[in-house]
Amino acid sequence: MSDHVYKKVEITGSSSVDMEDAIKNAVNKCSSTIKNMDWFEVMDTRGHIKDGKVAHWQVTLKIGFRLD
Amino acid sequence: MSDHVYKKVEITGSSSVDMEDAIKNAVNKCSSTIKNMDWFEVMDTRGHIKDGKVAHWQVTLKIGFRLD
Amino acid sequence: MSDHVYKKVEITGSSSVDMEDAIKNAVNKCSSTIKNMDWFEVMDTRGHIKDGKVAHWQVTLKIGFRLD
Amino acid sequence: MSDHVYKKVEITGSSSVDMEDAIKNAVNKCSSTIKNMDWFEVMDTRGHIKDGKVAHWQVTLKIGFRLD
Amino acid sequence: MSDHVYKKVEITGSSSVDMEDAIKNAVNKCSSTIKNMDWFEVMDTRGHIKDGKVAHWQVTLKIGFRLD
Amino acid sequence: MSDHVYKKVEITGSSSVDMEDAIKNAVNKCSSTIKNMDWFEVMDTRGHIKDGKVAHWQVTLKIGFRLD
Amino acid sequence: MSDHVYKKVEITGSSSVDMEDAIKNAVNKCSSTIKNMDWFEVMDTRGHIKDGKVAHWQVTLKIGFRLD
Amino acid sequence: MSDHVYKKVEITGSSSVDMEDAIKNAVNKCSSTIKNMDWFEVMDTRGHIKDGKVAHWQVTLKIGFRLD
Amino acid sequence: MSDHVYKKVEITGSSSVDMEDAIKNAVNKCSSTIKNMDWFEVMDTRGHIKDGKVAHWQVTLKIGFRLD
Amino acid sequence: MSDHVYKKVEITGSSSVDMEDAIKNAVNKCSSTIKNMDWFEVMDTRGHIKDGKVAHWQVTLKIGFRLD
Amino acid sequence: MSDHVYKKVEITGSSSVDMEDAIKNAVNKCSSTIKNMDWFEVMDTRGHIKDGKVAHWQVTLKIGFRLD
Amino acid sequence: MSDHVYKKVEITGSSSVDMEDAIKNAVNKCSSTIKNMDWFEVMDTRGHIKDGKVAHWQVTLKIGFRLD
């Protein structure tokens, strides 16, 4: 039970709303193909500027999940 | 007046709401025991995923406060 | 067309609202003097604590813009 | 022969024994699905504490393997 | 359209020619299995020395691609 | 239940045996004064050399514990 | 003579040719507005991938120049 | 004798004189409450500018001390 | 009043005297063209050696100033 | 007595046994040519994988020794 | 056979041609005094600018070689 | 003339006076065995505390020198 092994994948989510939403979009996208997602770590936060305003929030995260 | 000395402590706050709330929870918790808190620095942002959704935001910060 | 050159400047925005608002304030301030802003990268997130509560969010970002 | 291409994956192994065993568990787990594993790099070492004692060693590594 | 999600994979390419060629080899190898590759980031540059001369250039990069 | 707050302290343990023992010594020492220790993170590994041999292993770790 | 003061600016150059050409494009662009450029430091190397091939090399550098 | 355990605390000292004085102020402040201080490590050097001149030097250090 | 925006510029000062003097030279040089300078952060300390002796101290700092 | 000067050299030791043994091999090798070795710092831990198992532990360390 | 020990030295090569040539110059220079050179790692890339053009490429690398 | 090759060595100097003196002691010590020293880079600043006061300043630097 105790000697689990985990894999981490690096994902960039984007959103026009805010940083939390960019993270949720990334996690949501992965949930369709990855089982047993357990945690995420924010690596990097960026964004796109258009016409002098923030147009998109882009957050890169590592998502850790348990290998069966 | 000018030669103040400060101490920093490293605290992880969590919240099911968002990243700002995790930080506020950390600061609020410390306010009961630490006087003269002056600033914080975000060190690390992570989160817990449950059933394919973000369940908790976890933000580690350093909190600086003036030593009397 | 393809060999554009970009400059990055380092800006700290602050806000009493939240982290996204601190970033928007920084971008908005620069929009009056910088043309062709294209992206930003978050470098550092800090804040000011007053009376045991978060009083200001301070986000340092690099803003990239195309040189004509 | 000389222009090989490699991929790295990021894996966290855990063990109640020691750090080397956590690494071996990670490598062993991957050996069932990844061919041609060639090297690993330790990224991060953590552990779980229970009842005032180290209960698990958790080592995150990158594993490099040759793409056919 | 705007809320794309991207994945990054970490690849090491090698070449006896130069650093750019090692990168091209890595990208070329991935092009057969990854659709929608969008950008790369150089992480690390190394090389193999044989008989007192550079024999191979080895460049590790992260390749970002859009998830459908 | 979910909005716990944690504190991290930075501790250096030493041992003449091995790295795991240096970590255990650090955790054991703290267990007499810190309740609810939950995890540790290895920050730095050093050692003392005497008469051309490793005399002590010194491991600096951060220990995280829940604040009541 | 000895107590010179220098300023550094951060510039991203791009090129479809190679990394050196991206750097030369950045330096060349700045030469029209900055006098007394003295050195550069490479910060980051990226690139754009199109149709499975490297389309552009993007190198971010800091350029140091003497203030009169 | 050999298996000592040490704790590190993070302190910011300030001074209008110079960097060494800021460090001495930090160490001196701690000497009233911490026994067995053994070493310090400089983490960060900053300063306050007022009327176009350096008004204060601020040095953040970690101070290591032996736990009894 | 509270939502100020700051810019940081990166400057290298040099001095044949000591590190503090190199920093003062950098700040003094900027004071003729930058208003509202508020703080500096030391990024890097180097020096020039001539005839086996330290000939110049070179300190690179970021200077933060408030945008009007 | 107090103004000693030290040099650090960077050494990679390897072992088929464990990480501590790789470090001991590195220190032992240097002991034949370096006098007054005083401490080591672990920089990097890697390993070689063969037939799906860890074949060698490779630890890079800096070894500090006093110059006469 | 398996428990080799390696040393790394840090070398800066320069060239007026390109980055690869700066690396080759560094390796070539060392080949006259170092036997058994095995690999290099690029640490840092800089250059000298003269009359608004790149005059020299300067690449700092670590070169690893086997100790007999 | 232009394609010089340099080597860097890592040295720790100490002094009971101040940080500049620790650096000068390191450079002075090396001047008896190294020709053509050209620059230094500060890597790390530490110190020894005795009886609640700073007893020694310890500065680790890399010293670069031209290979003939």
Side-chain angles (χ1 to χ4, degrees):
Chain A
M1 184 181 213
S2 54
D3 293 354
H4 290 313
V5 175
Y6 299 84
K7 185 174 180 181
K8 295 191 205 179
V9 289
E10 193 166 356
I11 305 290
T12 301
S14 65
S15 163
S16 57
V17 180
D18 63 13
M19 300 190 286
E20 281 84 353
D21 197 54
I23 293 172
K24 288 176 187 167
N25 284 346
V27 170
N28 186 51
K29 181 78 179 179
C30 292
S31 68
S32 60
T33 54
I34 303 178
K35 286 189 302 180
N36 301 321
M37 287 192 293
D38 198 21
W39 83 94
F40 68 88
E41 311 164 26
V42 173
M43 304 307 288
D44 192 44
T45 305
R46 295 178 167 235
H48 181 55
I49 303 174
K50 201 171 162 180
D51 299 331
K53 292 190 190 312
V54 177
H56 279 91
W57 306 88
Q58 300 162 331
V59 184
T60 297
L61 47 164
K62 290 190 180 172
I63 295 179
F65 56 97
R66 206 180 65 242
L67 295 175
D68 288 329
Chain B
M1 186 180 211
S2 54
D3 293 354
H4 289 314
V5 175
Y6 300 83
K7 185 174 179 179
K8 294 192 204 179
V9 289
E10 192 165 356
I11 304 289
T12 302
S14 64
S15 164
S16 56
V17 181
D18 62 12
M19 299 190 286
E20 281 84 352
D21 198 52
I23 294 172
K24 287 176 187 167
N25 284 347
V27 170
N28 187 50
K29 182 76 177 182
C30 291
S31 68
S32 60
T33 53
I34 303 177
K35 287 189 300 180
N36 301 320
M37 288 191 294
D38 199 22
W39 83 95
F40 68 88
E41 310 163 27
V42 172
M43 304 305 289
D44 192 44
T45 303
R46 292 176 169 239
H48 182 56
I49 302 174
K50 202 172 162 179
D51 300 332
K53 291 188 189 314
V54 177
H56 278 91
W57 306 88
Q58 299 163 331
V59 184
T60 297
L61 46 164
K62 290 192 179 175
I63 295 180
F65 57 98
R66 207 180 64 242
L67 296 175
D68 289 329
Chain C
M1 185 180 212
S2 55
D3 293 354
H4 290 314
V5 175
Y6 300 84
K7 184 175 180 179
K8 294 191 205 179
V9 290
E10 192 165 356
I11 305 288
T12 302
S14 64
S15 164
S16 56
V17 181
D18 62 12
M19 299 191 286
E20 281 84 353
D21 197 53
I23 293 172
K24 287 176 188 167
N25 284 346
V27 171
N28 186 50
K29 182 74 179 183
C30 291
S31 68
S32 61
T33 53
I34 302 178
K35 288 189 299 180
N36 302 321
M37 288 192 293
D38 199 22
W39 84 93
F40 68 87
E41 311 163 26
V42 172
M43 305 306 289
D44 191 44
T45 304
R46 295 176 166 237
H48 182 54
I49 303 173
K50 201 171 163 181
D51 300 331
K53 291 188 190 315
V54 177
H56 280 89
W57 308 88
Q58 300 162 332
V59 184
T60 296
L61 48 164
K62 290 192 179 172
I63 296 179
F65 56 97
R66 206 181 65 242
L67 295 176
D68 289 329
Chain D
M1 186 181 210
S2 55
D3 293 354
H4 289 314
V5 175
Y6 300 84
K7 185 175 179 179
K8 295 190 204 179
V9 289
E10 192 166 357
I11 304 290
T12 301
S14 64
S15 164
S16 56
V17 181
D18 63 12
M19 299 190 286
E20 280 84 353
D21 197 55
I23 293 172
K24 288 176 187 167
N25 284 346
V27 171
N28 186 49
K29 181 76 179 181
C30 291
S31 68
S32 61
T33 53
I34 302 178
K35 287 188 301 179
N36 302 320
M37 287 192 293
D38 198 22
W39 83 94
F40 69 87
E41 311 163 26
V42 172
M43 304 307 289
D44 192 44
T45 304
R46 294 176 167 238
H48 182 54
I49 302 173
K50 199 170 164 183
D51 300 331
K53 292 189 189 313
V54 177
H56 279 91
W57 307 89
Q58 300 161 332
V59 184
T60 297
L61 47 165
K62 290 191 180 172
I63 295 180
F65 56 98
R66 206 181 64 242
L67 295 175
D68 290 329
Chain E
M1 185 181 212
S2 55
D3 293 353
H4 290 314
V5 175
Y6 299 84
K7 185 174 179 180
K8 295 191 207 181
V9 290
E10 193 166 356
I11 304 288
T12 302
S14 65
S15 164
S16 57
V17 180
D18 63 13
M19 300 190 286
E20 280 83 353
D21 197 54
I23 294 172
K24 287 176 188 168
N25 284 346
V27 170
N28 186 50
K29 180 77 178 181
C30 291
S31 69
S32 60
T33 53
I34 303 178
K35 287 188 301 178
N36 302 321
M37 288 192 292
D38 199 21
W39 84 95
F40 67 88
E41 311 163 26
V42 173
M43 304 306 287
D44 193 42
T45 304
R46 296 177 166 236
H48 182 53
I49 302 174
K50 201 171 163 181
D51 299 332
K53 292 190 189 313
V54 177
H56 279 91
W57 307 88
Q58 300 162 331
V59 184
T60 297
L61 47 165
K62 291 192 179 171
I63 294 179
F65 56 97
R66 206 181 64 240
L67 295 174
D68 288 329
Chain F
M1 186 181 211
S2 55
D3 293 354
H4 289 313
V5 175
Y6 299 84
K7 185 175 180 178
K8 294 190 205 179
V9 289
E10 193 166 355
I11 304 289
T12 302
S14 63
S15 164
S16 56
V17 181
D18 62 12
M19 299 190 286
E20 281 83 353
D21 197 54
I23 293 172
K24 288 176 187 166
N25 284 347
V27 170
N28 186 50
K29 181 77 177 181
C30 291
S31 69
S32 60
T33 52
I34 302 178
K35 288 189 300 181
N36 301 322
M37 287 191 293
D38 198 22
W39 84 94
F40 69 86
E41 311 163 26
V42 172
M43 305 305 289
D44 191 44
T45 304
R46 295 177 166 236
H48 182 55
I49 302 173
K50 202 172 163 180
D51 300 332
K53 291 189 189 314
V54 176
H56 279 91
W57 306 90
Q58 299 163 332
V59 184
T60 296
L61 46 165
K62 290 191 179 173
I63 295 179
F65 56 97
R66 207 181 64 239
L67 295 175
D68 288 329
Chain G
M1 187 181 210
S2 55
D3 293 355
H4 289 315
V5 175
Y6 299 83
K7 185 174 180 179
K8 294 191 205 179
V9 290
E10 193 165 356
I11 303 290
T12 301
S14 65
S15 164
S16 57
V17 180
D18 62 14
M19 299 190 286
E20 281 84 352
D21 197 54
I23 295 172
K24 287 176 188 168
N25 284 346
V27 170
N28 187 50
K29 181 76 177 182
C30 291
S31 68
S32 60
T33 54
I34 303 178
K35 288 188 300 180
N36 302 320
M37 287 192 293
D38 199 22
W39 83 94
F40 68 87
E41 311 164 26
V42 172
M43 304 306 289
D44 192 43
T45 304
R46 296 176 166 237
H48 182 55
I49 302 174
K50 201 170 161 180
D51 299 332
K53 292 190 189 313
V54 177
H56 279 91
W57 307 88
Q58 299 162 331
V59 184
T60 297
L61 47 163
K62 290 191 180 176
I63 295 179
F65 56 98
R66 206 180 66 242
L67 296 176
D68 290 328
Chain H
M1 186 180 211
S2 55
D3 293 354
H4 290 314
V5 175
Y6 299 84
K7 185 175 180 180
K8 294 191 206 181
V9 289
E10 192 165 357
I11 304 289
T12 302
S14 64
S15 164
S16 56
V17 181
D18 62 12
M19 299 190 285
E20 281 84 353
D21 198 53
I23 293 172
K24 288 176 188 168
N25 284 347
V27 171
N28 187 50
K29 182 75 179 182
C30 292
S31 68
S32 61
T33 54
I34 302 177
K35 288 190 300 179
N36 302 321
M37 286 190 295
D38 198 23
W39 84 93
F40 68 86
E41 311 163 26
V42 172
M43 304 307 288
D44 191 44
T45 304
R46 294 176 167 238
H48 182 55
I49 302 173
K50 200 172 163 182
D51 300 332
K53 291 187 189 315
V54 177
H56 279 90
W57 306 88
Q58 299 162 333
V59 184
T60 296
L61 47 165
K62 290 192 179 173
I63 295 179
F65 57 97
R66 207 182 62 242
L67 295 175
D68 289 329
Chain I
M1 186 181 210
S2 55
D3 294 353
H4 289 315
V5 175
Y6 300 84
K7 185 175 178 180
K8 294 192 206 181
V9 289
E10 193 166 357
I11 304 288
T12 301
S14 65
S15 163
S16 56
V17 180
D18 62 13
M19 299 190 287
E20 281 85 352
D21 197 54
I23 294 172
K24 288 176 186 167
N25 284 346
V27 171
N28 186 50
K29 181 75 178 182
C30 291
S31 69
S32 61
T33 53
I34 303 176
K35 287 190 299 179
N36 302 320
M37 287 191 293
D38 199 21
W39 84 93
F40 68 88
E41 310 163 26
V42 172
M43 303 306 288
D44 191 44
T45 303
R46 295 176 166 237
H48 182 54
I49 302 174
K50 200 172 162 181
D51 299 333
K53 291 189 190 313
V54 178
H56 279 91
W57 307 88
Q58 299 162 331
V59 184
T60 296
L61 48 165
K62 290 191 179 173
I63 295 180
F65 57 96
R66 207 181 63 242
L67 296 175
D68 289 328
Chain J
M1 185 179 211
S2 53
D3 293 354
H4 289 314
V5 175
Y6 299 83
K7 184 173 178 179
K8 295 191 204 178
V9 290
E10 193 165 356
I11 304 290
T12 301
S14 64
S15 163
S16 57
V17 181
D18 63 13
M19 299 190 286
E20 281 84 353
D21 197 54
I23 294 173
K24 287 176 187 166
N25 283 347
V27 170
N28 186 49
K29 180 77 177 181
C30 291
S31 68
S32 61
T33 53
I34 302 178
K35 288 189 300 180
N36 302 320
M37 287 191 294
D38 198 22
W39 84 93
F40 68 87
E41 311 163 26
V42 173
M43 305 306 290
D44 193 42
T45 303
R46 294 176 167 238
H48 182 55
I49 302 174
K50 202 172 161 181
D51 299 331
K53 291 189 189 314
V54 177
H56 279 90
W57 307 88
Q58 300 163 330
V59 184
T60 296
L61 47 164
K62 290 190 179 174
I63 295 180
F65 56 98
R66 206 179 65 241
L67 296 175
D68 289 328
Chain K
M1 185 179 210
S2 55
D3 293 354
H4 289 314
V5 175
Y6 300 83
K7 185 174 179 179
K8 294 190 205 179
V9 289
E10 192 166 358
I11 304 289
T12 302
S14 64
S15 163
S16 56
V17 181
D18 63 12
M19 299 191 286
E20 281 84 352
D21 197 54
I23 293 172
K24 288 177 187 166
N25 284 347
V27 170
N28 186 50
K29 181 78 179 181
C30 291
S31 69
S32 60
T33 54
I34 303 178
K35 289 189 299 180
N36 301 322
M37 288 191 294
D38 198 22
W39 82 94
F40 68 87
E41 311 163 25
V42 172
M43 305 305 288
D44 192 42
T45 304
R46 294 177 167 237
H48 181 55
I49 302 173
K50 202 171 161 181
D51 299 331
K53 291 189 189 313
V54 177
H56 279 90
W57 306 88
Q58 300 162 331
V59 184
T60 296
L61 46 166
K62 291 191 179 174
I63 295 179
F65 56 98
R66 205 181 66 242
L67 295 176
D68 288 329
Chain L
M1 186 178 210
S2 54
D3 292 355
H4 289 314
V5 175
Y6 300 83
K7 184 175 179 180
K8 295 191 206 181
V9 290
E10 192 165 357
I11 304 289
T12 302
S14 65
S15 163
S16 57
V17 180
D18 62 12
M19 299 190 287
E20 280 85 353
D21 198 54
I23 293 172
K24 288 176 187 167
N25 284 346
V27 171
N28 187 50
K29 182 76 178 182
C30 291
S31 68
S32 60
T33 53
I34 303 177
K35 288 189 300 179
N36 301 320
M37 288 191 294
D38 199 21
W39 83 93
F40 68 88
E41 310 163 27
V42 172
M43 303 307 288
D44 192 44
T45 304
R46 295 176 166 238
H48 181 55
I49 303 174
K50 200 172 163 180
D51 300 331
K53 290 188 190 315
V54 177
H56 279 90
W57 307 89
Q58 300 162 331
V59 184
T60 296
L61 47 165
K62 290 191 179 172
I63 294 179
F65 56 97
R66 206 181 64 243
L67 295 174
D68 289 330

